[in-house]
Amino acid sequence: VAQAEQSVLYAQKQLEDATLTCTFNGIIARINVSVGDTVSSVTPVLYVIDDSSMQLKVEVDEIDIPLVMLHQNAEITVDALLDSSFQGEVTFISPLPRIEAGIVSYETTISLLSYDDSILKIGMSATADIIAERHENVLLVPSRAIMENDQGDTTVKVMDNSEVRTITVVTGISDGIQTEILSGLTENDTVILETRPRDEQSGGGLFF
């Protein structure tokens, strides 16, 4: 009798171990096995999608990661849905770096705040602009127009009565393409953006 009871308990334990229980409500997206298949403990039997939320995982370069904080807003663009944009929030920043081909980056998770799951699908390629700081109604100049003189002052060249004049400015935030000017320039000033000559006889400049 004792041996039979042990056999029953062992069979019940095997049955319990053979029952897969998901820890969240979701949709079964794919089943990888059929009845009668032999699987190991590392075999992915099925995929379950949690459709109550959607996240985007991005790699942030080590140069930019100091500017990224939790709860910052992000604007997400999906390659397949270029006419649509989605709002998100930074919810995770990996403390460990990922190093690939000498490039250091940090995995960052952005949770979408609102989306239409009828058009936005799991696995779509997307990019995100994380808003580290926002300034409105500011004066911008091309970053290439900004230089530094021998004294370490930040300067730009402007056109003043048909003459080129170098003036000192105070800069603010920059996205690498355009830079905010806090003081030293007005919106009516004509900034000169010098271009690199193609050869010794050619050269020129662009005006903004």
Side-chain angles (χ1 to χ4, degrees), residues 77-84 86 119-121 123-127:
T77 303
V78 180
D79 293 355
L81 306 170
L82 294 180
D83 294 334
S84 302
F86 305 90
I119 60 173
L120 191 61
K121 303 298 182 183
M124 285 184 168
S125 300
T127 57

Side-chain angles (χ1 to χ4, degrees), residues 126-145:
T127 57
D129 291 325
I130 299 174
I131 302 174
E133 193 172 351
R134 185 190 297 272
H135 291 186
E136 297 181 353
N137 299 319
V138 298
L139 182 63
L140 297 175
V141 300
S143 298
R144 290 191 299 151

Side-chain angles (χ1 to χ4, degrees), residues 53-56 58 72-90 110-131 134:
S53 64
M54 193 168 289
Q55 297 176 334
L56 173 65
V58 297
Q72 285 177 333
N73 293 329
E75 296 178 356
I76 300 168
T77 303
V78 180
D79 293 355
L81 306 170
L82 294 180
D83 294 334
S84 302
S85 61
F86 305 90
Q87 301 301 309
E89 179 185 5
V90 177
I110 300 173
S111 297
L112 275 71
L113 300 178
S114 61
Y115 56 92
D116 183 355
D117 57 7
S118 65
I119 60 173
L120 191 61
K121 303 298 182 183
I122 298 292
M124 285 184 168
S125 300
T127 57
D129 291 325
I130 299 174
I131 302 174
R134 185 190 297 272

Side-chain angles (χ1 to χ4, degrees), residues 17-80:
D17 292 343
T19 302
L20 300 179
T21 303
C22 188
T23 58
F24 58 88
N25 295 327
I27 300 173
I28 297 178
R30 182 188 303 166
I31 300 176
N32 293 334
V33 297
S34 302
V35 175
D37 288 348
T38 301
V39 298
S40 68
S41 59
V42 296
T43 301
V45 176
L46 53 83
Y47 289 91
V48 181
I49 296 175
D50 180 3
D51 59 347
S52 64
S53 64
M54 193 168 289
Q55 297 176 334
L56 173 65
K57 295 187 182 296
V58 297
E59 297 290 336
V60 179
D61 189 271
E62 62 176 326
I63 297 176
D64 299 321
I65 199 64
L67 301 175
V68 179
M69 305 292 177
L70 291 177
H71 309 301
Q72 285 177 333
N73 293 329
E75 296 178 356
I76 300 168
T77 303
V78 180
D79 293 355

